[in-house]
């Protein structure tokens, strides 16, 4: 019997296989209770193009905790701006097996509003 973490990892692998078939840059999300992380990854060349997280010094000054919806929305905006600086507009959203609600949803919507197209 699979536990919750194994189920999430299984879901994430299915998503990553599909994104690999599309051959497109992916926005990968990871969350913990205290922080949220976002990366734009080019799987074709195995490179991380840019990243944003609540651990960055600029962000830590703005928020007391990185584990809330407001911080996730800020990271979504920040990753969209960094992506546009790199010339990236079209991406695939990899939610890493997490449900699409709460912080994950806030990050995705903020990224869409600031110029990334899923």
């Amino acid at each position: 019997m699979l536990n919750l973490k194994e189920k999430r990892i299984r879901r994430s692998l299915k998503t990553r296989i599909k994104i690999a078939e599309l051959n497109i840059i992916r926005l990968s999300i990871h969350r913990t209770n205290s922080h949220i992380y976002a990366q734009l990854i080019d799987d074709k060349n195995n490179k991380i193009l840019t990243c944003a997280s609540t651990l960055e010094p600029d962000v830590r000054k703005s928020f007391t905790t990185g584990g809330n919806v407001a911080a996730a929305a800020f990271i979504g905006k920040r990753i969209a701006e960094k992506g546009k600086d790199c010339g990236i507009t079209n991406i695939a959203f990899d939610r890493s097996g997490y449900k699409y609600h709460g912080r994950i949803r806030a990050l995705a919507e903020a990224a869409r509003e600031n110029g990334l197209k899923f």
Side-chain angles (χ1 to χ4, degrees), residues 21 25 27 44 49 52 65 72 85-87 106 108:
E21 290 174 2
I25 294 171
L27 171 60
K44 189 176 180 182
L49 303 173
T65 180
D85 290 343
C86 293

Side-chain angles (χ1 to χ4, degrees), residues 34-98:
S34 303
H35 299 285
I36 191 156
Y37 310 85
Q39 298 177 331
L40 288 176
I41 302 172
D42 183 7
D43 289 324
K44 189 176 180 182
N45 298 322
N46 295 323
K47 290 195 177 196
I48 296 173
L49 303 173
T50 187
C51 61
S53 75
T54 53
L55 287 175
E56 295 175 358
D58 307 348
V59 180
R60 288 192 86 144
K61 292 176 186 173
S62 303
F63 297 98
T64 56
T65 180
N68 58 19
V69 174
F74 185 78
I75 295 301
K77 179 181 176 185
R78 192 168 173 91
I79 196 73
E81 291 170 355
K82 286 183 174 185
K84 285 195 288 187
D85 290 343
C86 293
I88 300 166
T89 55
N90 293 327
I91 61 163
F93 184 61
D94 176 13
R95 55 190 170 84
S96 300
Y98 299 114

Side-chain angles (χ1 to χ4, degrees), residues 3-48:
N3 63 20
L4 292 176
K5 184 176 180 182
E6 291 170 343
K7 288 179 184 178
R8 183 187 66 79
I9 291 171
R10 179 180 248 173
R11 284 191 304 268
S12 70
L13 290 175
K14 287 183 200 176
T15 303
R16 289 184 184 141
I17 289 169
K18 181 63 178 174
I19 291 171
E21 290 174 2
L22 296 173
N23 198 14
I24 193 168
I25 294 171
R26 68 182 164 107
L27 171 60
S28 180
I29 306 298
H30 179 70
R31 68 176 168 86
T32 63
N33 289 337
S34 303
H35 299 285
I36 191 156
Y37 310 85
Q39 298 177 331
L40 288 176
I41 302 172
D42 183 7
D43 289 324
K44 189 176 180 182
N45 298 322
N46 295 323
K47 290 195 177 196
I48 296 173

